[in-house]
């Protein structure tokens, strides 16, 4: 296949317009060489990023520039099969972007959005029978034809998935801003809040694969498999600080970028207990705890003492209705004090 043909086939495949024969040709081409697979992944990522655009702001020029920005300069000018003229590359991407925008505009009205405000939790059942619990401040998008040609959803925030049996020929895929999660099992938790410094998935039963650009500087694609009772946490590249994480054997491990931890089944509620209104903190810093409490109780927390932000605390809270009671319990075991003014909470160091 020549360059023009394969690129148009890739677009048809991504937008689910390819027939069976064209689909087979694309799959063979992708498997033929690692560079082919990388190029396909970049093009697919560009399409998924466009899906996050709001319908009212779809602008052809803006979307075109967004599309181009997702393809690294090296790929545009070197890996695109060494075209003789840069103008030819730009022209091709103009055609591809317009094609993608047209499909986006046609399909955007068929997208369903389920969102949960801060302070709430919502349970939904997808068309294939899959159960999804959405945590506070989360949003889930999926097409109205979910379960027919695809089982792909788009998550911003945190959700617990219990995948319905059957439909093995159509994989269940969760897209987040930075990673794609493919279900190979049945039950897993996924945490990908836009303001958090990390991505996290916990497998309760079955197995998942996590695919994406682990290193945003080199844009190398990778795939990590997460097995039952394992937690995968990835700190984003721009986060410079180093963190600690307490494993079940009570040893402290330093996290740089990626770590997979094995968790005892008795401690899994630390990761999925939120759907039963259970909050579990195990050596978390007050700064980390505040992020969770802000979403859970729909408040704004201000810590006016820098030293308190790294104060570590362990404890669990079941069916605690107000943040006042949570902070009261934390105050009883630490040197903090706090005031509540409407929806603003200010945490200070206790003075004796």
């Amino acid at each position: 296949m020549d360059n023009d043909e394969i690129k148009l086939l890739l677009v048809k495949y991504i937008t689910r317009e390819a027939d069976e024969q064209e689909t087979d040709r694309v799959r063979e081409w992708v498997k033929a060489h690692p560079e082919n697979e990388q190029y396909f992944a970049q093009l697919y990522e560009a399409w998924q990023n466009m899906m996050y655009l709001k319908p009212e702001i779809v602008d052809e020029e803006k979307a075109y520039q967004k599309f181009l920005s997702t393809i690294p300069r090296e790929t545009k000018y070197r890996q695109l099969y060494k075209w003789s003229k840069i103008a030819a590359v730009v022209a091709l991407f103009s055609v591809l972007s317009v094609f993608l925008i047209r499909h986006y505009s046609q399909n955007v009205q068929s997208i369903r959005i389920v969102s949960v405000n801060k302070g709430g939790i919502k349970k939904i059942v997808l068309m294939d029978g899959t159960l999804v619990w959405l945590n506070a401040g989360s949003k889930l998008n999926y097409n109205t034809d979910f379960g027919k040609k695809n089982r792909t959803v788009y998550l911003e925030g945190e959700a617990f998935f219990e995948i319905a049996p059957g439909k093995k020929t159509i994989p269940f895929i969760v897209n987040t801003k930075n990673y794609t999660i493919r279900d190979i099992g049945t039950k897993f938790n996924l945490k990908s809040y836009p303001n958090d410094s990390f991505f996290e998935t916990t497998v309760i039963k079955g197995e998942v694969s996590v695919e994406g650009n682990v290193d945003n500087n080199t844009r190398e694609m990778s795939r990590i498999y997460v097995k039952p009772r394992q937690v995968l946490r990835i700190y984003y590249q721009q986060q410079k600080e180093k963190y600690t994480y307490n494993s079940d054997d009570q040893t402290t491990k330093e996290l740089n970028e990626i770590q997979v931890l094995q968790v005892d089944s008795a401690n899994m509620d630390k990761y999925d207990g939120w759907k039963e209104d259970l909050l579990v903190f195990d050596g978390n810093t007050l700064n980390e705890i505040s992020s969770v409490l802000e979403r859970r109780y729909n408040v704004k927390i201000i810590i006016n003492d820098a030293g308190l932000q790294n104060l570590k605390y362990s404890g669990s809270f079941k069916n605690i209705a107000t943040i006042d009671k949570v902070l009261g319990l934390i105050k009883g075991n630490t040197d903090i004090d706090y005031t509540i003014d409407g929806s603003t909470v200010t945490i200070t160091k206790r003075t004796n």
Side-chain angles (χ1 to χ4, degrees):
M1 291 185 287
D2 60 27
N3 296 331
D4 292 350
E5 183 182 7
I6 186 57
K7 290 176 177 61
L8 291 175
L9 276 179
L10 288 174
V11 172
K12 291 183 70 176
Y13 179 83
I14 289 172
T15 57
R16 299 194 299 276
E17 293 293 326
D19 57 31
E20 186 175 349
Q21 183 179 6
E22 290 171 331
T23 298
D24 290 339
R25 292 170 69 189
V26 169
R27 289 174 177 171
E28 290 176 4
W29 181 85
V30 171
K31 293 178 181 178
H33 197 279
E35 283 194 2
N36 294 357
E37 182 177 4
Q38 183 179 15
Y39 176 67
F40 169 77
Q42 291 166 341
L43 191 62
Y44 183 79
E45 180 185 4
W47 166 244
Q48 297 299 341
N49 286 339
M50 288 175 63
M51 294 297 289
Y52 283 100
L53 288 172
K54 295 181 180 179
E56 61 270 19
I57 63 170
V58 173
D59 177 87
E60 183 170 317
E61 178 61 26
K62 183 183 295 185
Y64 170 53
Q65 294 302 325
K66 180 179 178 67
F67 179 83
L68 285 182
S69 69
T70 62
I71 307 298
R73 184 180 182 88
E74 181 184 23
T75 300
K76 283 189 283 187
Y77 299 138
R78 181 180 67 81
Q79 291 184 348
L80 288 181
Y81 312 103
K82 299 181 177 64
W83 280 29
S84 59
K85 295 182 179 179
I86 292 177
V89 178
V90 175
L92 174 64
F93 274 109
S94 296
V95 173
L96 293 182
S97 61
V98 170
F99 193 93
L100 290 173
I101 292 167
R102 185 184 303 119
H103 279 270
Y104 172 79
S105 300
Q106 292 172 349
N107 294 332
V108 71
Q109 299 301 325
S110 65
I111 296 177
R112 291 183 178 175
I113 301 176
V114 181
S115 58
V116 183
N117 294 329
K118 291 182 178 180
I121 294 173
K122 184 177 292 186
K123 179 182 177 181
I124 62 174
V125 182
L126 299 179
M127 281 79 85
D128 68 339
T130 292
L131 300 178
V132 183
W133 287 260
L134 284 174
N135 205 350
S138 300
K139 182 169 63 176
L140 189 77
N141 298 357
Y142 58 94
N143 291 331
T144 54
D145 64 350
F146 177 93
K148 298 176 181 178
K149 294 183 178 180
N150 74 84
R151 292 200 298 163
T152 301
V153 299
Y154 308 90
L155 173 68
E156 181 180 294
E158 183 172 16
F160 182 90
F161 295 88
E162 186 172 329
I163 310 302
K167 294 283 186 180
K168 297 299 182 182
T169 57
I170 306 178
F172 193 97
I173 297 174
V174 185
N175 283 310
T176 67
K177 180 180 179 181
N178 294 284
Y179 300 100
T180 295
I181 298 84
R182 296 178 186 272
D183 169 66
I184 312 175
T186 54
K187 298 181 182 181
F188 60 96
N189 194 76
L190 186 58
K191 191 171 187 178
S192 182
Y193 282 105
N195 295 327
D196 280 356
S197 61
F198 62 91
F199 162 92
E200 181 182 275
T201 186
T202 306
V203 175
I204 310 300
K205 183 179 180 182
E207 183 179 353
V208 301
S209 70
V210 178
E211 306 163 14
N213 297 320
V214 172
D215 189 334
N216 290 326
N217 293 322
T218 63
R219 297 185 66 87
E220 292 181 356
M221 301 298 294
S222 63
R223 180 178 295 136
I224 301 173
Y225 291 93
V226 188
K227 299 183 181 298
R229 297 186 302 281
Q230 286 186 339
V231 179
L232 168 68
R233 178 175 280 206
I234 304 174
Y235 281 97
Y236 299 135
Q237 189 70 19
Q238 64 267 27
Q239 191 70 23
K240 301 300 183 182
E241 295 85 3
K242 292 184 178 180
Y243 297 82
T244 57
Y245 196 98
N246 289 336
S247 63
D248 291 325
D249 60 4
Q250 301 303 311
T251 60
T252 301
K253 299 183 178 181
E254 188 179 75
L255 292 181
N256 294 315
E257 200 171 279
I258 305 172
Q259 190 155 8
V260 178
L261 301 171
Q262 192 72 40
V263 180
D264 186 88
S265 57
N267 296 322
M268 294 305 292
D269 55 7
K270 175 181 177 180
Y271 303 97
D272 66 354
W274 59 265
K275 60 188 178 67
E276 305 296 337
D277 204 12
L278 174 66
L279 299 177
V280 180
F281 303 114
D282 183 14
N284 296 91
T285 66
L286 190 59
N287 198 44
E288 293 171 333
I289 292 172
S290 295
S291 296
V292 175
L293 296 180
E294 282 184 330
R295 290 189 288 260
R296 175 63 183 85
Y297 294 100
N298 192 20
V299 296
K300 174 65 177 177
I301 298 178
I302 301 171
I303 304 176
N304 67 2
D305 187 311
L308 288 179
Q309 293 184 2
N310 293 320
L311 176 69
K312 293 185 177 181
Y313 177 82
S314 297
S316 60
F317 305 89
K318 176 69 174 178
N319 295 329
I320 304 296
T322 66
I323 192 170
D324 187 20
K325 290 185 178 180
V326 172
L327 291 177
L329 292 170
I330 295 177
K331 177 181 177 180
N333 295 282
T334 62
D335 292 328
I336 73 162
D337 205 345
Y338 67 93
T339 59
I340 300 178
D341 183 9
S343 61
T344 300
V345 178
T346 303
I347 298 179
T348 58
K349 188 174 181 62
R350 185 190 306 171
T351 56
N352 295 326

